Amino acid sequence: MEDFKDLKVGDSVWTIQEEDTEIIQINYNSSYPIKTKMYSYTLDGFQLNFHKHRSLFCSNPFEKKEDFEPRWMIVSDNNESWHKRFVFMIKNNFYISWFSVEDDEGVAKQVSTVHWKYAKEMEEIEQIELTIEEIAEKFGLCAEQIKIKK
């Protein structure tokens, strides 16, 4: 949710009622302290305090903010466990990917999607380089017993 407590007279805002407009008055003693050219709003951005959805925004929430190039990224909901996924868009501050797809073949077939709170570029993945012998030692095996699969 946007924070309107730092707005000042003269700041540009976007409202459902007026679209691009300007703050002309702020009166914290009022139930509707933020006044634009035509309407007043609560500190939470509602034109009327019983409305279900706010009308005041710092910028147009419907405007395309950036061109997003679909790509392989690592994603997470908890910022701890990460998964490689093909992210094809950002919507409402969530990263949208194909559900449980980890390769290009899956991208072509999948139709179900899932959203994630966090995403990082693939280059941000910390990689560890190990030899077959090091892996074998870790698991108490002989190198000949290990078969690497992807």
Side-chain angles (χ1 to χ4, degrees):
M1 179 97 101
E2 292 180 273
D3 189 3
F4 300 117
K5 70 178 190 291
D6 294 329
L7 286 177
K8 310 180 286 309
V9 172
D11 283 352
S12 294
V13 291
W14 192 93
T15 71
I16 297 292
Q17 295 75 19
E18 300 171 83
E19 295 188 357
D20 288 317
T21 189
E22 182 180 312
I23 303 293
I24 62 165
Q25 182 181 2
I26 297 178
N27 177 3
Y28 291 107
N29 294 325
S30 168
S31 297
Y32 299 90
I34 303 169
K35 181 161 178 36
T36 63
K37 294 177 181 176
M38 296 179 66
Y39 299 96
S40 295
Y41 300 87
T42 67
L43 283 176
D44 293 330
F46 293 88
Q47 186 197 7
L48 297 172
N49 59 11
F50 58 84
H51 280 172
K52 286 185 174 183
H53 304 284
R54 61 193 175 104
S55 300
L56 176 70
F57 301 88
C58 291
S59 62
N60 183 346
F62 307 106
E63 186 175 82
K64 190 173 179 181
K65 299 245 187 287
E66 63 179 71
D67 286 332
F68 182 81
E69 185 71 32
R71 61 189 176 271
W72 287 101
M73 300 180 80
I74 53 171
V75 293
S76 173
D77 273 328
N78 58 16
N79 210 8
E80 291 177 15
S81 60
W82 293 88
H83 312 277
K84 176 185 171 187
R85 295 293 187 268
F86 190 81
V87 178
F88 60 88
M89 77 184 305
I90 299 173
K91 185 171 184 173
N92 298 332
N93 294 322
F94 285 99
Y95 298 88
I96 313 298
S97 74
W98 298 114
F99 183 78
S100 290
V101 170
E102 296 185 14
D103 58 32
D104 291 333
E105 184 179 319
V107 168
K109 294 178 180 178
Q110 184 60 270
V111 294
S112 298
T113 62
V114 63
H115 65 274
W116 305 89
K117 289 182 185 178
Y118 308 99
K120 294 181 184 179
E121 297 299 336
M122 293 296 291
E123 295 80 40
E124 295 180 46
I125 299 173
E126 181 182 328
Q127 293 187 338
I128 300 171
E129 217 173 277
L130 298 171
T131 65
I132 295 288
E133 289 75 20
E134 290 171 322
I135 294 170
E137 185 180 323
K138 175 78 174 166
F139 291 97
L141 302 170
C142 297
E144 294 76 29
Q145 292 178 279
I146 297 186
K147 179 180 177 183
I148 303 290
K149 68 178 186 177
K150 189 144 186 159

